[in-house]
Amino acid sequence: MIFPWRRLRQQGVLGINQRNADYILPFNPRHHYPLVDDKRRTKQLALAAGIAVPKLYGVVEMVHQIKRLDKLLGPHEDFVIKPAHGSGGEGILVVNGRYQGRYRKASGVILTAEEVGHHIANILSGMYSLGGLPDTALIEYRVKFDPLFEAVSYLGVPDIRTLVYRGIPALAMIRLPTRLSDGRANLHQGAIGVGIDLVTGRTSAGVWQEHAIDRHPDTEGEIRNLRIPHWESVLELAARCFDLVNLGYIGVDIVLDRDLGPMVLELNARPGLSIQLANKVGLQPRLQRIQRLSEISSSAAERVALGKSLA
């Protein structure tokens, strides 16, 4: 009898314990975690390196600043409010317009200024932060997704998660928001994960709630064989993020804005493993091939080419 865990190992599937022991602990020094756990700090590092990120409109650090919220938001018809230390998409509020002095969410729900202020107060209290510690609210540009994704996204903005090991892209997927995920691009909240061929930038079948699918459950749009725009730039941006934070095993989330092109949304020092389900391939063989490399180029473009050759 072959036990299920042995069959998964034979297929090269990486488990959480092995990920932690073989890749996160040896290659992600704890003292570098704040560089990715604090989205404001990540944004500053990226800007200093010439990497595109959504523009920061403002920061709310203390409760009394909420009283000046209307003045802070005044110039902006739409925006995103998010916790600086949040994870898993929790605490993100997307406003895509105004209505008679109120704020319209992507779902169509209308919020008063008081309700927006209450949401920010929850962020400051640490309701959505890692470890429940007091947090900061970031207000930033709302990404308008590339037209390619209109038929395969519900309400929210898709993002591309690339797993980067030792500066080399190893595996990638696009995460598509659904009604179940409330427009968020997070798989554990109900978004779809769709594998992407590293060489061609084309999508394969997807996985949703652990079920293989070919079409978006809400829009019925075909998710196979989409060609991701700016694919080379996406991979190069992901590879360059390794140089930003000196973490050897990271997840890089990139969005494609219809006007501004690829932008880095955030980095993750503990990327999940559902990317294997989305691609229907185990991570372990690819990581082992990268592990055996004695020298790795300092050029992001060359590391991208190497990642493709090892895929």
Side-chain angles (χ1 to χ4, degrees):
M1 176 180 179
I2 300 179
F3 293 102
W5 63 268
R6 287 183 177 174
R7 185 178 294 111
L8 291 173
R9 178 168 291 182
Q10 290 171 358
Q11 294 175 350
V13 174
L14 183 68
I16 291 177
N17 291 339
Q18 188 176 12
R19 178 203 65 176
N20 294 343
D22 292 352
Y23 300 104
I24 290 182
L25 288 177
F27 293 97
N28 289 359
R30 293 285 303 182
H31 62 278
H32 286 164
Y33 276 37
L35 301 179
V36 298
D37 287 345
D38 185 339
K39 295 177 179 61
R40 185 181 182 185
R41 194 168 177 184
T42 304
K43 191 183 293 283
Q44 292 169 340
L45 288 172
L47 288 172
I51 292 176
V53 295
K55 183 177 180 180
L56 184 65
Y57 291 154
V59 177
V60 180
E61 298 176 294
M62 293 173 284
V63 173
H64 72 81
Q65 292 176 294
I66 298 174
K67 297 178 181 178
R68 302 196 298 271
L69 193 60
D70 283 344
K71 184 176 180 180
L72 178 61
L73 299 178
H76 311 294
E77 280 295 311
D78 56 347
F79 50 85
V80 175
I81 300 175
K82 62 173 61 173
H85 295 86
S87 64
E90 297 289 344
I92 296 177
L93 173 64
V94 180
V95 171
N96 66 1
R98 304 285 189 108
Y99 177 74
Q100 296 185 352
R102 301 188 179 194
Y103 303 95
R104 180 185 290 109
K105 293 175 58 177
S107 63
V109 174
I110 304 296
L111 301 177
T112 64
E114 290 75 18
E115 288 172 319
V116 174
H118 180 70
H119 180 78
I120 292 177
N122 286 339
I123 290 176
L124 300 183
S125 72
M127 181 177 289
Y128 310 108
S129 70
L130 295 165
L133 299 175
D135 206 348
T136 298
L138 307 181
I139 304 170
E140 64 182 31
Y141 169 79
R142 180 178 72 89
V143 174
K144 287 79 172 175
F145 60 73
D146 190 284
L148 172 72
F149 304 121
E150 287 181 0
V152 291
S153 183
Y154 182 83
L155 292 180
V157 177
D159 68 24
I160 298 167
R161 161 65 61 88
T162 304
L163 197 149
V164 179
Y165 179 45
R166 298 181 69 193
I168 299 173
L171 211 56
M173 69 175 170
I174 186 165
R175 303 186 297 185
L176 303 173
T178 66
R179 185 189 300 271
L180 180 62
S181 72
D182 195 28
R184 297 185 179 93
N186 295 91
L187 300 194
H188 76 276
Q189 292 181 344
I192 303 166
V194 186
I196 306 175
D197 186 290
L198 275 187
V199 177
T200 66
R202 289 190 178 274
T203 61
S204 57
V207 62
W208 181 56
Q209 298 288 283
E210 300 183 0
H211 298 288
I213 60 172
D214 295 321
R215 292 184 175 275
H216 194 287
D218 303 308
T219 68
E220 296 188 1
E222 175 66 56
I223 62 177
R224 280 181 178 270
N225 208 34
L226 300 175
R227 184 161 188 162
I228 306 299
H230 313 289
W231 183 237
E232 283 298 316
S233 297
V234 168
L235 289 181
E236 192 163 331
L237 275 179
R240 289 176 63 192
C241 287
F242 164 74
D243 303 310
L244 283 184
V245 295
N246 292 315
L247 293 170
Y249 186 86
I250 57 174
V252 180
D253 297 338
I254 293 174
V255 289
L256 297 178
D257 187 86
R258 71 186 182 201
D259 301 315
L260 304 174
M263 294 188 289
V264 172
L265 195 60
E266 61 182 72
L267 308 182
N268 194 315
R270 318 162 192 81
L273 298 171
S274 296
I275 196 169
Q276 299 175 107
L277 294 176
N279 282 275
K280 294 182 174 58
V281 65
L283 256 174
Q284 189 69 351
R286 296 194 184 194
L287 298 181
Q288 288 175 340
R289 287 194 286 270
I290 295 172
Q291 178 69 32
R292 287 193 288 266
L293 297 173
S294 58
E295 293 185 11
I296 295 178
S297 173
S298 61
S299 163
E302 291 182 9
R303 296 201 299 265
V304 168
L306 185 55
K308 288 182 175 182
S309 71
L310 296 174

